[in-house]
Every structure is written in structure tokens, then in C-alpha cells.
Amino acid sequence: MRDTRESRLLLVLLIAIAFALITVDIRGGQESPVDGARRAAAAVFGPVENGVAAAVDPVGNAIGAVRDSGERHTRIAALEKENAELKAKLGSDDRNRSRLRELDTLLKTAGAGQYGIKGAQVIAIGSAQGFSWTITIDVGARDGIQRDMTVLNGAGLVGRVTTVGPSTSTVLLANDPDFTVGTRMEKTDELGFATGQGDRPLLVQLLNGKAKVKPGDRLVTFGSQGDKPFVPGVPVGEVLRVDPSGGGLTRNVYVRPYVGFSKLDIVGVVVQAPRSNPRDAVLPPKPKPAPTVTVTVTPKPPANAANEGQNQAGRNQQNQNLNQNQNADGNANQNAGQDQQAQQDEGDATP
């Protein structure tokens, strides 16, 4: 429609009429003269509004869902982060507690043997020197570590230091095939040499081919001259199996080491040897055998045991009466015979 003077007058007139109707409707309240027209319009346009609302609502819901989804994802991400931090903290606490237990056991072992130790943590496994069973620890020359020092943990002998750097050192483990240590049997003092066999038990060659040894016997380090590379008295392991004695000069036994070489964490390097040989003092106390419980089961007599006992008593009484009768009959016969013999003797005596 062209913008003319007449059209502008018509628009102003329509707006004035609209305001007038609104004013009349508001003042009329429920009795408004346009109420019927409003109802008619609602009846006509209501279904259309519902249809449009049905078509628009999913879109609106989707938009709200996207908005809420973003908020939920943000909240979920925050919760997941909190959970991860909590798990990390709990895991760290568990590990710290485990390391504290290892350190406490190490200190007790060092105290029992009077070893002066430098605590260390295992930071790597393996070595560039070509050893198959080695670890790297986080102490070195700056910490007073030297080559050929004994390394132990709370369980026993770990190995010896082979290479020393400024802040790290390499330790050859006791189960390495190139590792050999002098050993001494508990109580019997039988000497031998233990050699590593990887993940198999240690092989110990006793110097006495006739040595009396059995499974469960325990060994400690014999010690080296000048306490290097080994100090005395460090627990080595327990005998698992003994080769039969073949009359040779030596005898082989197989020993389960006390140390688990695949799960090392906290270790100690012996930087000061004990003043005296601790001998067997560092070995853990042997577990006491559990008491044997003996259970005695008394069989319950059968229900007819009383009747059987009465019957047996009755039979015994019958046998006793029968024996008495037999004895009485025997005595009577004997008396009768005596009387007959006496009569015969009297007849013989008559002239």
C-alpha cells in the first residue's frame, strides 16, 4: 500500500479505536461488551495456537536441554576432577603408608645389625652396563656412597653397589647370575657361596659335602674382608631343597631369598659396618608352631545297650546257677560213693 495521507489517517484511526476498545474492556471487567468477541476469537485461534505451541515446544525444549546439558557437563566434569584428585590423594596416602612401613622395617633391621645406613629409593630398573638384574637408586657420591657397599632392605640382602654417579648409583641384585656372596648357616655355622639364578632360588654351594642341612634352615652373609662388598649377618634366605650327598667335597642347596627383587622401593646402603659380627641377631624370629587341637569323639551307646547288658547279666546269672547245680550234683554223687564204700568196708570187716 502506498504511503499516502489517507493511509496514515486510517492507521491513526485504527490505533485510536484499538485503545478505545482496550479501555472499554478494562473498565467493563467480566461484563465487558467485547468479551463475546474475545471468546469467539479464542475459539477460532485456540487450536492454531496449540498446534503452533506443539510444534515450537520441542524446539524450545531442545534449546533448554542444550543449555542445561552444557551446565550438566560442566558439573560432571568438575565432579570427575574432584574424584580423580581424591583417588590420587588416597592412592598417594596408601603408597606413603606402605613406604613408611618399609622404612620402619628397614630401620629395625639396621638397628638389629648395628649397620649405619643411607636410605634410598629405587628410581629405575635395569642398567646400561648390561646387567640383567640391576636397579638404580637416588643416592650417589655426594651422599657418601662408594663402590662395593652392601645394599639391604627390611627383609634382607638386596645386592651390592657396582657403579656410583654424583647423585645416583647402580646396584647389582643378589639374584643376578654374576652375583656371589659368602654365606653362613644359622647355628651350625656351615659356610658356602650363594649365586643368583634370576627368578629361580639361589644356589648355595656348601664347603662341607657332609654338612647336615634340611629345608627351613636359614642363612646370613658371612662378611668380607674389610666389610666390602658385604657386611656380616645380613639375612639371605631359607633352604628350600637339598641335593642328595654324593660323597663330594661340596654340597648344593637351593635357597629362597627373603627379598622380593621384583618389588623393591625403599632400600638402605650400608655406609658404616657394625663394630662386631651380629651373627644371627638380624634374622627374624621363627614363627611358633600352632598348637595341635586333639578332638576325642566318644561313640554314643546304642539304644538297646541297656537291654543287652541286662540280657548278658541274666545269662551270666543262669550260667552261675547252672555251675552251682552241677557242683551240688557232683558233691552229692561223691557223698553217695563215699557212703557205699563205707558200707562195703563194714561188710568186709564182719566175720
Side-chain angles (χ1 to χ4, degrees):
M1 184 176 63
R2 295 178 60 184
D3 185 14
T4 62
R5 183 179 181 182
E6 290 81 5
S7 61
R8 288 197 297 267
L9 291 174
L10 180 59
L11 179 60
V12 172
L13 180 61
L14 292 175
I15 292 174
I17 294 172
F19 275 107
L21 292 176
I22 292 173
T23 302
V24 173
D25 186 37
I26 291 174
R27 290 183 176 181
Q30 295 182 355
E31 298 179 356
S32 174
V34 297
D35 183 64
R38 185 171 57 248
R39 292 181 180 178
V44 173
F45 295 104
V48 177
E49 291 175 347
N50 290 334
V52 172
V56 173
D57 282 347
V59 178
N61 292 337
I63 296 173
V66 171
R67 183 180 62 254
D68 295 340
S69 177
E71 294 177 356
R72 285 197 299 270
H73 281 302
T74 303
R75 181 57 179 165
I76 290 173
L79 292 175
E80 290 178 349
K81 183 179 179 180
E82 291 176 2
N83 290 336
E85 292 175 352
L86 181 60
K87 289 180 180 179
K89 182 178 179 180
L90 291 176
S92 177
D93 290 344
D94 290 341
R95 183 177 180 184
N96 289 336
R97 283 193 291 268
S98 176
R99 296 179 66 189
L100 286 175
R101 287 194 296 268
E102 290 186 29
L103 181 59
D104 182 63
T105 307
L106 172 62
L107 294 177
K108 289 180 179 179
T109 299
Q114 297 299 307
Y115 307 123
I117 63 170
K118 180 68 175 181
Q121 181 181 357
V122 177
I123 57 176
I125 299 175
S127 168
Q129 284 81 359
F131 298 123
S132 57
W133 291 88
T134 61
I135 57 174
T136 302
I137 57 178
D138 62 352
V139 292
R142 297 173 182 171
D143 305 289
I145 307 302
Q146 299 177 6
R147 180 183 170 88
D148 287 337
M149 283 185 168
T150 306
V151 181
L152 51 82
N153 67 0
L157 180 66
V158 172
R160 62 181 176 88
V161 177
T162 57
T163 305
V164 180
S167 58
T168 61
S169 302
T170 300
V171 178
L172 179 66
L173 299 180
N175 64 335
D176 187 273
D178 292 333
F179 187 95
T180 301
V181 59
T183 61
R184 181 180 60 80
M185 296 289 300
E186 180 186 14
K187 296 181 180 179
T188 64
D189 292 337
E190 294 288 350
L191 302 182
F193 292 95
T195 302
Q197 297 192 112
D199 55 359
R200 294 180 296 168
L202 303 176
L203 173 62
V204 178
Q205 191 175 48
L206 298 178
L207 299 182
N208 182 5
K210 298 181 180 180
K212 294 182 179 180
V213 58
K214 62 184 183 301
D217 289 346
R218 305 187 294 180
L219 298 90
V220 298
T221 57
F222 178 69
S224 307
Q225 185 176 5
D227 298 316
K228 285 188 177 182
F230 303 108
V231 294
V234 180
V236 175
E238 294 183 357
V239 175
L240 285 177
R241 181 167 60 88
V242 181
D243 279 351
S245 178
L249 298 178
T250 61
R251 190 174 189 182
N252 292 338
V253 298
Y254 299 90
V255 174
R256 177 184 63 83
Y258 286 122
V259 173
F261 298 103
S262 61
K263 50 182 180 180
L264 294 171
D265 187 13
I266 302 296
V267 298
V269 182
V270 181
V271 295
Q272 184 177 358
R275 295 182 179 179
S276 60
N277 190 339
R279 299 189 64 80
D280 302 331
V282 190
L283 285 169
K286 287 187 176 181
K288 296 181 180 180
T292 303
V293 180
T294 304
V295 180
T296 303
V297 180
T298 303
K300 185 178 180 180
N304 57 351
N307 297 333
E308 183 66 23
Q310 294 176 356
N311 295 334
Q312 183 65 33
R315 287 193 294 269
N316 293 337
Q317 185 65 35
Q318 292 178 357
N319 293 333
Q320 184 177 0
N321 294 336
L322 179 61
N323 292 333
Q324 291 178 353
N325 293 335
Q326 290 178 352
N327 292 333
D329 293 341
N331 293 332
N333 294 334
Q334 184 177 1
N335 293 333
Q338 291 177 354
D339 293 342
Q340 184 177 2
Q341 182 66 31
Q343 293 177 359
Q344 184 177 355
D345 292 340
E346 291 177 359
D348 293 337
T350 303

